[in-house]
Amino acid sequence: MKDLLTVLKDWEAVIGLEVHTELTTLNTKMFCSCPIEFGAEPNTHVCPVCLGLPGALPVPNRAAIESIVLAGLATNCEIEKRSMFYRKNYFYPDMSKNFQTTQGPVAFCMRGWLDLEVNGAAARERVVRAGTLPLLAEDGTGTASDVTGAATATPAPPIAQLDGYVTHIGITRIHMEEDAGKTVHYGGTDGRITGATYSLLDYNRCGTPLIELVTEPDLRTPEEARLFLQQLRQIYLTLGISDCSMEEGSLRCDGNVSLRRRGEVEFGTKTELKNMNSFKNLHDGLAYEICRQAEVLESGGTVRQETRHWEPAAKRTVTMRVKETADDYRLFPEPDLAPYDLTDEFIESVRARLPELPDAKRQRYTRDYGLPRADAANLAGDASLSAFFDATLQSSPQVARLAPRIANLLLNEVSAWLNAHNTVIENSKLTPQHLAQLAELLAGDSISSKQAKEVLAQSAETGASPQQIVEQSGIKQVSDAGELEAIVAQILAANPDKVAEYRSGKTGLIGFFVGQAMKATQGQGNPKLINEMFTQKLEV
Ligand code: ADP
Ligand code: ZN
Ligand code: MG
């Protein structure tokens, strides 16, 4: 099989995603008052409504409707004031009602969009032609329109040579539905039904409110699909409507993909990939499927419309089932639920609750604090780190000038420490004031970046202030020119042969000299200053 980048030279991939998200932060299910709890004892959170026993009547959960409206507003959707629930009829053992309550042609949220910024290596998969997309300037500032204007006959160079691009992804709808239970297979391999000797059912998850977002077929590369899902997850996390765990299945994504020859307008036949339970699986599954379809088409075959299963270990997709059509489900209006009417007051009260979203935050970080584009995006995409960053900057007006350094500390040293200790910043003893202090110490050259790591670790573990730690443990950086001059002179005098070698062109020896001086100062010398001193003395 050809590799992805080769395939994408001749073929354009067309991708649309269907993203299911459980509203895990709600207390109760969609149409009954059973609690929502992951990992509870099987079949303890069930009642006649979520099991679909005779005579049970559903009552919609208002908080769930608020969540979906929040999701819609955050993704630029129009909120439909009147929508209905439908029954989607089918049999599956984990759904004892024999139908899923879902929405019909009109969902709570319709016609939204998100702008996707694709940077760096992620941009490599897209071949951009003149005038088709706003490009990012190479210096990373704003969008440059250097490839706009009437499309010329010569295509623009592949995007890899530029910094990135922005692409507009349409959102068809976000509708409300309910989750099914879980079937657990025993005796087979990988928990699959094949080869299992028996299966058990857990109905706890039945009736958990689920929102399904469907995109227009506007994505063009596996990287764009991955970025879209990441961006959506960040938005949902910021809204606080779900814990969005791909591992535990509260965020699940199906990828639809087809190919067409470059320049062609008609879409090809798509396949749908299930089981994309990580960002990597989504990317790799789509990439595999694109290559597989290209091989089928190039050998004169046709792609069959079907649902396929991505097997990450075997690195391949296999047929699950040939697609049913909507008619097979006999979708009809749910007779037990009246059409749902949303008032303007309700929608406005939800809008008032919208927090600052990652995209706005990212723009604020570059605009107000001059953070580099990538740092701003990474920070804005992490709800807990960005809250800590904001708190650090609010801790004193003097720290604004240190913002890029603080962002850098959070994204590197602090994140590394949190990962190593398998914890989150809220559970560490680091405070915004202490982080600001650490940045001050670094900025004033009082400690080296290596020492900063140590001080940070101690502060995060014990809650002591960096100032205190530095004073008590004697960690300091020697930046006193007089003190360092003497050491530098000593080392030069003790190594005349090395000095001669350096002067005859072996300038790599600077590392040796700086190393000697660091040793002499017990690691407390300011390496930058020492380096400058040696260079000056050696170059005469
Ligand atoms: P279906 O009726 O098979 O469920 P839909 O029209 O509802 O298909 O679309 C489901 C998803 O597939 C959407 O995300 C949509 O953008 C995407 N999609 C539709 N047609 C194509 C295509 N030809 N290639 C790739 N994706 C597509
Ligand atoms: Zn129930
Ligand atoms: Mg569909």
Side-chain angles (χ1 to χ4, degrees):
M1 239 167 41
K2 289 182 188 166
D3 67 278
L4 181 69
L5 294 186
T6 309
V7 168
L8 290 178
K9 279 189 195 127
D10 299 328
W11 299 93
E12 184 173 46
V14 171
I15 301 169
L17 300 181
E18 293 165 276
V19 186
H20 290 86
T21 313
E22 277 179 19
L23 302 177
T24 52
T25 55
L26 295 179
N27 298 322
T28 56
K29 295 188 182 180
M30 188 60 220
F31 299 110
C32 63
S33 55
C34 288
I36 297 172
E37 187 193 353
F38 181 80
E41 178 80 3
N43 300 310
T44 53
H45 295 336
V46 289
C47 76
V49 174
C50 52
L51 291 176
L53 302 185
L57 287 176
V59 179
N61 179 342
R62 183 187 160 101
I65 313 273
E66 284 174 12
S67 295
I68 193 172
V69 172
L70 267 178
L73 292 172
T75 52
N76 308 295
C77 288
E78 291 168 29
I79 308 301
E80 292 287 348
K81 288 200 189 143
R82 168 165 270 228
S83 63
M84 285 166 74
F85 285 104
Y86 279 64
R87 286 187 181 190
K88 183 178 178 180
N89 297 275
Y90 65 98
F91 168 78
Y92 204 75
D94 65 15
M95 191 186 61
S96 55
K97 281 164 69 171
N98 271 3
F99 63 87
Q100 180 194 34
T101 308
T102 180
Q103 292 203 278
V106 179
F108 282 116
C109 314
M110 304 288 290
R111 297 170 294 276
W113 53 267
L114 283 180
D115 273 344
L116 212 60
E117 191 180 300
V118 190
N119 290 310
R124 207 172 296 152
E125 291 178 357
R126 180 119 172 193
V127 178
V128 174
R129 286 171 200 274
T132 53
L133 284 174
L135 301 179
L136 299 174
E138 273 175 89
D139 63 2
T141 56
T143 58
S145 41
D146 45 328
V147 196
T148 53
T152 52
T154 32
I159 200 68
Q161 294 162 23
L162 296 154
D163 196 55
Y165 59 88
V166 178
T167 179
H168 187 80
I169 308 302
I171 292 168
T172 316
R173 56 192 267 138
I174 312 177
H175 66 252
M176 178 71 90
E177 56 185 42
E178 55 177 357
D179 213 346
K182 263 185 204 159
T183 313
V184 190
H185 307 292
Y186 291 90
T189 48
D190 320 330
R192 305 273 307 272
I193 193 165
T194 323
T197 45
Y198 67 99
S199 304
L200 295 178
L201 291 161
D202 176 5
Y203 290 109
N204 279 350
R205 201 175 65 182
C206 270
T208 298
L210 206 63
I211 58 175
E212 178 178 350
L213 179 147
V214 182
T215 77
E216 290 291 303
D218 288 345
L219 297 152
R220 293 290 173 267
T221 68
E223 280 292 1
E224 289 178 14
R226 175 190 354 225
L227 284 167
F228 180 90
L229 190 63
Q230 279 173 342
Q231 192 162 323
L232 186 67
R233 181 171 183 271
Q234 290 168 357
I235 290 173
Y236 285 173
L237 285 174
T238 305
L239 296 176
I241 58 176
S242 172
D243 62 9
C244 295
S245 162
M246 297 190 78
E247 241 165 51
E248 291 175 358
S250 54
L251 184 72
R252 309 195 281 270
C253 183
D254 303 335
N256 298 271
V257 56
S258 65
L259 293 188
R260 61 181 172 187
R261 285 274 177 196
R262 293 218 157 264
E264 195 148 303
V265 182
E266 291 282 307
F267 286 161
T269 303
K270 72 177 161 80
T271 56
E272 181 176 355
L273 296 187
K274 297 273 186 192
N275 185 37
M276 316 292 261
N277 56 5
S278 72
F279 293 114
K280 185 173 187 320
N281 280 348
L282 176 64
H283 176 275
D284 295 356
L286 286 170
Y288 173 89
E289 188 57 18
I290 288 166
C291 299
R292 187 193 68 86
Q293 287 186 12
E295 195 173 68
V296 169
L297 295 168
E298 282 172 8
S299 63
T302 49
V303 172
R304 201 161 43 141
Q305 173 150 345
E306 62 189 357
T307 304
R308 299 177 69 90
H309 183 86
W310 166 241
E311 296 182 338
K315 291 197 169 39
R316 60 169 187 183
T317 61
V318 292
T319 303
M320 253 168 88
R321 57 173 185 257
V322 178
K323 185 93 183 165
E324 327 62 6
T325 67
D327 292 341
D328 298 336
Y329 290 114
R330 293 190 306 116
L331 209 69
F332 62 76
E334 162 65 65
D336 288 344
L337 288 163
Y340 211 89
D341 287 311
L342 300 178
T343 62
D344 285 326
E345 290 75 24
F346 176 82
I347 297 170
E348 288 319 306
S349 76
V350 175
R351 196 191 303 277
R353 282 176 44 202
L354 272 181
E356 184 184 35
L357 295 169
D359 217 35
K361 203 174 271 182
R362 176 176 62 81
Q363 287 173 20
R364 178 163 66 81
Y365 288 167
T366 44
R367 187 190 59 226
D368 294 0
Y369 300 124
L371 296 197
R373 182 189 284 280
D375 284 3
N378 289 334
L379 203 55
D382 187 312
S384 99
L385 284 186
S386 63
F388 202 89
F389 176 78
D390 286 334
T392 306
L393 280 144
Q394 276 151 24
S395 68
S396 131
Q398 275 92 287
V399 293
R401 68 192 162 85
L402 302 174
R405 194 182 285 273
I406 291 168
N408 194 284
L409 279 169
L410 279 168
L411 290 168
N412 297 298
E413 273 71 31
V414 176
S415 295
W417 188 88
L418 294 172
N419 282 343
H421 291 77
N422 199 15
T423 185
V424 289
I425 200 157
E426 293 84 354
N427 293 342
S428 80
K429 290 192 173 157
L430 189 68
T431 68
Q433 289 75 12
H434 291 169
L435 182 64
Q437 222 176 62
L438 187 70
E440 284 280 6
L441 289 169
L442 266 169
D445 268 343
S446 308
I447 58 172
S448 67
S449 40
K450 198 162 154 244
Q451 289 166 336
K453 266 187 210 150
E454 249 176 81
V455 175
L456 171 78
Q458 281 192 41
S459 184
E461 227 151 273
T462 65
S465 81
Q467 196 65 53
Q468 215 178 343
I469 295 166
V470 164
E471 278 162 20
Q472 278 172 5
S473 57
I475 295 176
K476 59 174 187 248
Q477 176 163 262
V478 180
S479 296
D480 179 85
E483 202 174 319
L484 293 178
E485 291 271 6
I487 293 168
V488 165
Q490 239 170 19
I491 291 167
L492 289 173
N495 297 285
D497 47 336
K498 293 269 187 332
V499 171
E501 274 180 63
Y502 181 99
R503 289 191 173 138
S504 68
K506 256 183 105 180
T507 51
L509 280 169
I510 189 74
F512 163 80
F513 288 113
V514 174
Q516 292 292 306
M518 290 305 286
K519 224 192 229 166
T521 58
Q522 273 138 26
Q524 298 189 335
N526 177 343
K528 201 167 136 244
L529 208 59
I530 292 173
N531 195 307
E532 280 165 17
M533 286 178 171
F534 274 119
T535 311
Q536 205 192 10
K537 290 264 184 317
L538 287 163
E539 309 257 295
V540 289

